[in-house]
């Protein structure tokens, strides 16, 4: 689960281009991103499964195309607006991995009628009944996957529940296509050792495979067995019985994933460019223009072995400034300070006008604060990549 040994974290930075940006701004380090994409794809290839990245992390066409170019087969989305946007850009194999409700079926139908190979999910008889009734009314055969709960983290039917077969029969008898089962071990974020991560990865795999086995033994189809989270994808020792894996935050990684132990800070590809706008010298604070509106309110590292506040401070070139974090945040103001004792030299160390980059706790949440990314790489200098907003 460590970084690949040939990874070189230093990315030549177009300083003049960064200095010309308004702050705060979301920055993607493209070589780091490409390294992360290749690392995950190579692992999936080695394990012998298809890989379906979750694009909710970036919500960016350019990022998704890089994932597909590396070998990904289809994508996972969290909103139907995402599905429509990526379909418009040529992606046809899409899993909408949020429980379906009747009010969203017209949008799903519209996408399928346009030629999108959209799969939807359910974890209840009521939802399954709504899907088949709507499908019958409009002459549409929806492909539906059943969500399995393998860790008590969020949604889904437990693999051994009677409800699994009940939901499957409603779909099968109602004319829907029973496409398979899927699960997400979100509780993997709570662990931080290789042994614990491997154990939750096996629990995720075994639970989803058990659900698939029960369906097949009942004479019901289950062609797809889909599992995944970034930690379990990187920790799984084998994936027998699994057909595909899904993961999302790996494309950027973040400080939560650093604390989980699946990446180093040199692999974090998303940061926020910010400017020092003032000081509280007696408190050892520098004030920056990236508050929680830029970083998000996510304090995911607060419960982990190391708390990074609202983010890790880096120089403009992306190199970490050890011991300095964004320790506090108001709406448009961030408080930069040294961990432990206040820094009496904070004014000299970070003069007004200094440009810095902040590594986020949660890349998905921080990305969601911005309408676009500024992508830096040594070949194309600086590019602007739009980011999808809304539902």
């Amino acid at each position: 689960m460590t970084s690949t040994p040939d990874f070189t974290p230093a990315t030549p930075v177009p300083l003049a281009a960064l200095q010309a940006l308004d702050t705060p701004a979301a920055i993607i380090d493209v070589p780091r991103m490409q390294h992360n994409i290749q690392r995950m794809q190579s692992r999936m290839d080695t394990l012998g499964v298809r890989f379906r990245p979750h694009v909710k992390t970036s919500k960016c066409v350019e990022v998704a195309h890089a994932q597909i170019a590396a070998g990904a087969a289809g994508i996972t989305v969290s909103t139907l607006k995402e599905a429509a946007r990526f379909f418009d850009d040529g992606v046809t194999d899409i899993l909408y991995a949020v429980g379906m409700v009747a009010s969203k079926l017209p949008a799903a139908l519209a996408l399928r009628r346009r030629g999108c190979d959209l799969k939807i999910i359910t974890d209840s008889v009521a939802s399954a009944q709504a899907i088949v009734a709507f499908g019958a009314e409009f002459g549409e055969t929806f492909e539906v996957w059943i969500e399995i709960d393998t860790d008590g983290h969020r949604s889904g039917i437990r693999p051994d529940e009677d409800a699994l077969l009940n939901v499957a029969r409603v779909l099968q008898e109602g004319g829907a296509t029973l496409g398979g089962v899927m699960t997400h071990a979100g509780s993997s974020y709570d662990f931080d050792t290789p042994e614990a991560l491997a154990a939750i990865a096996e629990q995720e795999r075994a639970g989803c495979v058990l659900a698939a086995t029960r369906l097949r033994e009942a004479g019901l189809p289950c062609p797809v067995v889909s599992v995944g989270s970034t930690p379990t994808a990187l920790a799984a020792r084998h994936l027998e019985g699994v057909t595909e894996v899904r993961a999302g935050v790996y494309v950027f990684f973040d400080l939560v994933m650093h604390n989980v132990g699946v990446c180093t800070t040199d692999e974090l590809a998303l940061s926020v460019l910010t400017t020092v706008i003032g000081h509280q010298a007696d408190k050892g604070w520098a004030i920056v223009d990236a508050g929680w509106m830029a970083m998000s309110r996510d304090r995911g590292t607060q419960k982990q072995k190391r708390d990074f506040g609202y983010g890790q401070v880096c120089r403009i070139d992306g190199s970490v400034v050890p011991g300095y974090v964004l320790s506090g945040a108001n709406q448009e103001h961030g408080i930069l300070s040294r961990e432990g004792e206040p820094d009496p030299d904070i004014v000299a160390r970070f003069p007004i006008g200094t440009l810095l980059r902040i590594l986020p706790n949660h890349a998905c949440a921080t990305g969601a604060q911005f309408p676009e990314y500024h992508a830096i790489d040594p070949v194309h200098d600086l590019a602007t990549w739009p980011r999808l907003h809304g539902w």
Side-chain angles (χ1 to χ4, degrees), residues 186-256:
S187 65
S188 61
Y189 284 35
D190 298 331
F191 300 97
D192 60 12
T193 67
E195 296 77 18
L197 291 172
I200 193 66
E202 173 56 18
Q203 178 179 311
E204 177 185 55
R205 184 206 67 81
C208 207
V209 169
L210 172 60
T213 300
R214 289 188 65 216
L215 290 174
R216 292 165 184 157
E217 288 177 347
L220 295 160
C222 188
V224 174
V225 180
S226 178
V227 306
S229 71
T230 288
T232 55
L234 294 171
R237 292 173 179 164
H238 73 90
L239 289 173
E240 182 180 352
V242 170
T243 63
E244 72 165 36
V245 169
R246 309 176 324 281
V249 75
Y250 80 95
V251 74
F252 294 153
F253 284 123
D254 53 30
L255 293 170
V256 166

Side-chain angles (χ1 to χ4, degrees), residues 32-242:
R32 290 186 180 188
M33 181 192 80
Q34 292 286 13
H35 160 77
N36 298 340
I37 290 172
Q38 190 56 52
R39 177 185 170 197
M40 181 65 80
Q41 188 63 54
S42 295
R43 180 159 184 78
M44 296 302 100
D45 293 345
T46 298
L47 290 169
V49 293
R50 286 163 46 101
F51 182 53
R52 182 187 296 275
H54 206 318
V55 298
K56 70 174 183 177
T57 295
S58 70
K59 298 199 180 189
C60 176
V61 168
E62 288 81 358
V63 175
H65 283 322
Q67 292 168 303
I68 292 169
I75 62 171
T76 312
V77 300
S78 57
T79 72
L80 289 171
K81 186 174 182 179
E82 288 170 53
R85 178 69 178 88
F86 287 102
F87 177 67
D88 287 343
D89 278 277
V91 183
T92 58
D93 183 355
I94 301 176
L95 170 66
Y96 172 48
V98 174
M100 179 53 68
V101 292
S103 61
K104 295 182 180 180
L105 283 166
L109 175 64
L111 276 165
R112 289 183 60 86
R113 290 283 166 86
R114 290 174 57 203
C116 180
D117 183 13
L118 180 73
K119 293 92 168 166
I120 59 178
I121 72 169
T122 184
D123 68 351
S124 72
V125 167
S127 170
Q129 289 172 334
I131 292 167
V132 298
F134 186 90
E137 180 179 357
F138 291 95
E140 180 66 28
T141 302
F142 287 100
E143 180 174 340
V144 189
W145 298 5
I146 300 175
E147 184 171 11
I148 306 302
D149 175 10
T150 52
D151 65 353
H153 171 69
R154 191 167 59 196
S155 305
I157 301 169
R158 292 193 309 274
D160 57 351
E161 280 187 276
D162 291 342
L164 173 64
L165 299 183
N166 296 337
V167 169
R169 290 189 176 110
V170 168
L171 295 170
Q172 180 81 348
E173 294 167 7
T177 297
L178 185 53
V181 290
M182 57 84 70
T183 191
H184 167 63
S187 65
S188 61
Y189 284 35
D190 298 331
F191 300 97
D192 60 12
T193 67
E195 296 77 18
L197 291 172
I200 193 66
E202 173 56 18
Q203 178 179 311
E204 177 185 55
R205 184 206 67 81
C208 207
V209 169
L210 172 60
T213 300
R214 289 188 65 216
L215 290 174
R216 292 165 184 157
E217 288 177 347
L220 295 160
C222 188
V224 174
V225 180
S226 178
V227 306
S229 71
T230 288
T232 55
L234 294 171
R237 292 173 179 164
H238 73 90
L239 289 173
E240 182 180 352
V242 170

